[in-house]
Amino acid sequence: MNIIKKKYYLIPLIICLLGLTALTFVFFLGSFSKSDETEYVFIDDDDDLDSVCVKLKPIGSEQTISAFRILSKYWRYTDHIRSGRYAITPDESTTTVFRHLKNGHQSPVRLTIPESRTMERLAGALSRKLMLDSMTLVTSLQDSAFCAHLGYDTATIACLFVPDTYEIYWNTPLDLLMERLRKEHDHFWNGQRVAKATSLGLTENEVCTLASIIDEETANNGEKPMIAGMYLNRLKKGMPLQADPTVKFALKDFALRRIYHDMLNYNSPYNTYKNTGLPPGPIKIASVAGIDAVLNRVEHDYLYMCAKEDFSGTHNFASNYQDHLKNAARYAQALNDRGIK
């Protein structure tokens, strides 16, 4: 009889234990996220437990946020909150999410280096993808000591950047970001590319500078080696490049659709109508296509080019000034016909 009574009293206890186990599973081991898609949370250096939970609130439920707080207090998460970008998938438990944040198991961002015309634009693009402040980036890229540490000056620092997409952590500090991009630069400038630049009598920076001008002349990658050949011919003869994009860069007016004669006299080392040789540095971050166009230029005897009057984005080339004037006249007339000023 006593054995039966003991078994009877054990039943509620077992039920409570099972309920507690189920509650613990749901509370700590159930799915943290309310979403059916992967969500991301960004933890900053100055975040505390409350602000972390505020950032998690749109992703988790009140129940899972409470469980996260309990785990945080028990495992002393507040002693060392790690900044970063963390992915939270639909199937991850609260315990898993907590462990990732506590241990700093980030999800990298895909950082694309754009073909920016200025360091201000580059800084803005990078700051939108990284924890870095855009003003900090601009100030650094315009600082001669910072650039010199990387092997450049403020005019050539754009040569460091190779437009591509890289995986990098959101909270990567500036010095490590530059170190990573320097490694990517060195990987891009392999022995074959360096040898081609040397055969042209150009440095890597000079190749990037010429490539940046060619990029601004046309978006047609197929024509870029032709333009490269023309500019290299002019450099070899000691002729000024007379590249309109360098005038736009000197004037800092990239919206110009037409270059007038008085603009050609603007006093700037970037004005290739007034100065022979290459400008001090790139007028944008050169594209890979532009760089390879210089390294694989088409050999010909052209010395002049003018945009085609059909506005196709390609050019008419000429080996003498008389033919060039005819090409230029046709293009000027086309601009006038369209009312482009």
Side-chain angles (χ1 to χ4, degrees):
M1 186 71 177
N2 289 335
I3 295 175
I4 295 173
K5 286 183 177 181
K6 287 180 180 180
K7 288 183 177 179
Y8 177 78
Y9 288 121
L10 282 174
I11 291 174
L13 179 61
I14 292 171
I15 292 174
C16 287
L17 288 173
L18 290 174
L20 184 61
T21 300
L23 183 62
T24 300
F25 179 85
V26 172
F27 206 57
F28 295 105
L29 301 178
S31 178
F32 176 87
S33 178
K34 298 179 293 186
S35 175
D36 294 328
E37 300 178 355
T38 298
E39 303 288 346
Y40 295 91
V41 62
F42 296 83
I43 308 301
D44 292 291
D45 287 330
D46 58 352
D47 274 323
D48 56 21
L49 179 58
D50 287 337
S51 61
V52 170
C53 288
V54 168
K55 290 180 176 181
L56 289 171
K57 190 173 181 180
I59 303 173
S61 64
E62 289 187 15
Q63 176 181 293
T64 55
I65 298 297
S66 296
F68 184 89
R69 283 186 175 275
I70 292 171
L71 291 170
S72 298
K73 292 178 180 178
Y74 183 80
W75 292 103
R76 301 171 65 90
Y77 172 57
T78 53
D79 289 352
H80 186 38
I81 294 177
R82 299 173 185 267
S83 63
R85 171 184 181 265
Y86 299 91
I88 299 177
T89 61
D91 59 338
E92 284 181 337
S93 67
T94 302
T95 302
T96 299
V97 171
F98 171 75
R99 188 170 65 250
H100 286 173
L101 267 66
K102 183 177 185 300
N103 295 331
H105 290 168
Q106 296 185 60
S107 176
V109 299
R110 289 179 59 80
L111 177 67
T112 299
I113 301 297
E115 298 171 22
S116 304
R117 284 173 168 152
T118 66
M119 290 301 99
E120 290 85 355
R121 294 187 183 185
L122 173 65
L126 296 185
S127 67
R128 287 191 289 272
K129 298 291 290 187
L130 300 173
M131 193 169 73
L132 293 169
D133 174 66
S134 62
M135 284 305 300
T136 300
L137 279 164
V138 170
T139 301
S140 298
L141 294 174
Q142 293 177 344
D143 180 77
S144 57
F146 180 85
C147 294
H149 177 71
L150 295 166
Y152 299 90
D153 56 35
T154 54
T156 59
I157 187 63
C159 299
L160 169 67
F161 302 95
V162 178
D164 205 342
T165 299
Y166 310 101
E167 285 199 344
I168 194 164
Y169 289 119
W170 175 71
N171 63 342
T172 299
L174 181 58
D175 57 338
L176 293 183
L177 172 65
M178 291 297 108
E179 182 181 320
R180 167 67 184 281
L181 294 177
R182 178 72 198 191
K183 288 180 179 177
E184 297 294 347
H185 168 277
D186 293 345
H187 177 73
F188 173 81
W189 280 100
N190 53 34
Q192 188 177 28
R193 284 192 172 98
V194 171
K196 288 181 177 181
T198 302
S199 70
L200 294 171
L202 300 175
T203 66
E204 295 173 17
N205 289 354
E206 289 171 334
V207 171
C208 289
T209 299
L210 182 53
S212 72
I213 296 172
I214 295 167
D215 283 337
E216 288 291 85
E217 290 283 16
T218 183
N220 188 315
N221 289 337
E223 193 186 45
K224 288 180 180 180
M226 282 286 292
I227 298 175
M230 187 212 69
Y231 279 134
L232 288 168
N233 287 345
R234 294 181 75 92
L235 287 173
K236 188 175 181 180
K237 288 181 176 292
M239 299 172 64
L241 295 183
Q242 297 183 325
D244 287 358
T246 65
V247 178
K248 293 181 182 180
F249 183 85
L251 293 169
K252 291 295 185 285
D253 189 348
F254 303 108
L256 281 174
R257 300 181 66 187
R258 191 167 185 172
I259 303 296
Y260 289 95
H261 184 74
D262 60 329
M263 298 176 181
L264 306 182
N265 295 316
Y266 186 75
N267 190 24
S268 167
Y270 287 90
N271 184 348
T272 57
Y273 278 86
K274 291 195 69 173
N275 306 286
T276 57
L278 291 166
I283 60 172
K284 67 181 287 289
I285 294 176
S287 70
V288 172
I291 292 171
D292 285 341
V294 175
L295 298 178
N296 301 285
R297 87 291 185 212
V298 174
E299 295 189 53
H300 51 64
D301 63 352
Y302 295 131
L303 292 171
Y304 304 91
M305 73 174 191
C306 181
K308 285 186 177 179
E309 60 277 11
D310 61 1
F311 297 96
S312 61
T314 56
H315 297 78
N316 289 313
F317 293 87
S319 57
N320 61 77
Y321 190 56
Q322 289 72 28
D323 287 343
H324 172 64
L325 287 177
K326 295 175 184 177
N327 293 333
R330 288 199 299 272
Y331 182 63
Q333 184 60 51
L335 289 173
N336 293 333
D337 290 344
R338 292 199 179 194
I340 296 175
K341 298 184 178 183

